[in-house]
């Protein structure tokens, strides 16, 4: 129930977030979308960190957290893709599927899905090592991603402090949802 509560609270917070001059009401969708992506990235980072710790100290608990965080990150990532289409349509009046900040995440999602399914059949230590590598690939790929229509940093380029405050509030709520999802997935490990 906490997972649903935190997502619902984030949606509610986004609904009352301040408007932005250029995007108007669509800014609220952008805040939620951006925070959702960041949570996926944080979960991939958590999967890599837990995997590294699990491999170093040889504790299955950390390796189980790596598996669960990697799976939770992938679920957030997979939901982010259709959400991106909605954001594109709302803000660009159409879909631009060749946008690098859509095309690259789509490729990473396909690789991530194949990887996580394959890892279900392998020992936890393999999952930890794979999550370290996958996390590095995701961050390296997204760090160097060009953009055509996608703004570089719509949240940090905003002049209003209230926009950043709402964004980080939504990010906190969705991070708690991501943690709850990882916790639920860990119970299955």
């Amino acid at each position: 129930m906490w997972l649903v509560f935190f997502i619902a609270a984030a949606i509610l917070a986004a609904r009352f977030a301040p408007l932005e001059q250029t995007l108007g009401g669509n800014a609220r969708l952008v805040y939620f979308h951006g925070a959702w992506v960041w949570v996926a990235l944080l979960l991939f980072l958590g999967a890599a960190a837990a995997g590294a710790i699990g491999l170093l100290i040889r504790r299955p608990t950390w390796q189980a957290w790596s598996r669960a965080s990697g799976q939770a990150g992938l679920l957030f990532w997979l939901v982010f893709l259709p959400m991106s289409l909605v954001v594109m349509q709302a803000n660009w009046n159409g879909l631009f599927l060749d946008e690098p900040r859509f095309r690259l995440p789509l490729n990473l999602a396909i690789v991530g899905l194949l990887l996580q399914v394959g890892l279900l059949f392998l020992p936890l230590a393999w999952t930890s090592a794979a999550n370290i590598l996958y996390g590095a690939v995701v961050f390296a790929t997204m760090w160097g991603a060009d953009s055509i229509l996608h703004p570089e940093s719509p949240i940090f380029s905003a002049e209003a402090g209230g926009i950043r405050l709402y964004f980080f509030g939504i990010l906190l709520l969705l991070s708690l949802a991501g943690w709850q999802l990882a916790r639920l997935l860990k119970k299955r490990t």
Side-chain angles (χ1 to χ4, degrees):
M1 291 303 293
W2 284 109
L3 173 64
V4 174
F5 171 78
F6 288 127
I7 291 175
I11 291 170
L12 189 62
R15 176 70 181 101
F16 293 104
L19 300 177
E20 194 267 335
Q21 183 177 356
T22 306
L23 297 176
N26 290 340
R28 294 171 174 157
L29 186 58
V30 171
Y31 305 152
F32 189 83
H33 162 75
W36 192 277
V37 173
W38 279 33
V39 170
L41 292 170
L42 288 171
L43 285 164
F44 289 143
L45 182 63
I53 292 169
L55 289 174
L56 287 174
I57 65 173
R58 300 180 193 274
R59 296 283 163 92
T61 299
W62 283 97
Q63 294 173 359
W65 272 111
S66 178
R67 175 176 279 174
S69 297
Q71 291 171 349
L74 180 64
L75 288 171
F76 266 78
W77 197 260
L78 291 171
V79 171
F80 138 70
L81 291 169
M83 190 184 302
S84 294
L85 298 175
V86 172
V87 173
M88 277 186 219
Q89 184 64 44
N91 292 301
W92 302 340
N93 294 322
L95 302 178
F96 184 53
L97 301 180
D98 202 33
E99 169 65 44
R101 292 191 181 238
F102 178 77
R103 186 175 27 85
L104 294 172
L106 177 61
N107 293 339
L108 290 167
I110 293 167
V111 170
L113 184 59
L114 294 172
L115 177 67
Q116 289 299 329
V117 168
L119 290 173
L120 291 173
F121 302 101
L122 296 173
L124 284 173
W126 285 66
T127 302
S128 294
N131 282 334
I132 294 167
L133 180 62
Y134 184 73
V137 168
V138 167
F139 278 91
T141 302
M142 296 310 296
W143 184 269
D146 291 328
S147 60
I148 298 171
L149 295 176
H150 191 286
E152 284 303 314
S153 177
I155 299 301
F156 292 110
S157 63
E159 293 181 19
I163 290 175
R164 280 191 285 288
L165 182 65
Y166 263 90
F167 174 78
F168 283 112
I170 295 165
L171 178 63
L172 175 64
L173 291 167
L174 289 176
S175 294
L176 291 169
W179 176 68
Q180 287 297 318
L181 180 58
R183 207 170 64 94
L184 290 171
L185 291 169
K186 184 180 176 290
K187 288 181 181 180
R188 297 179 51 216
T189 303

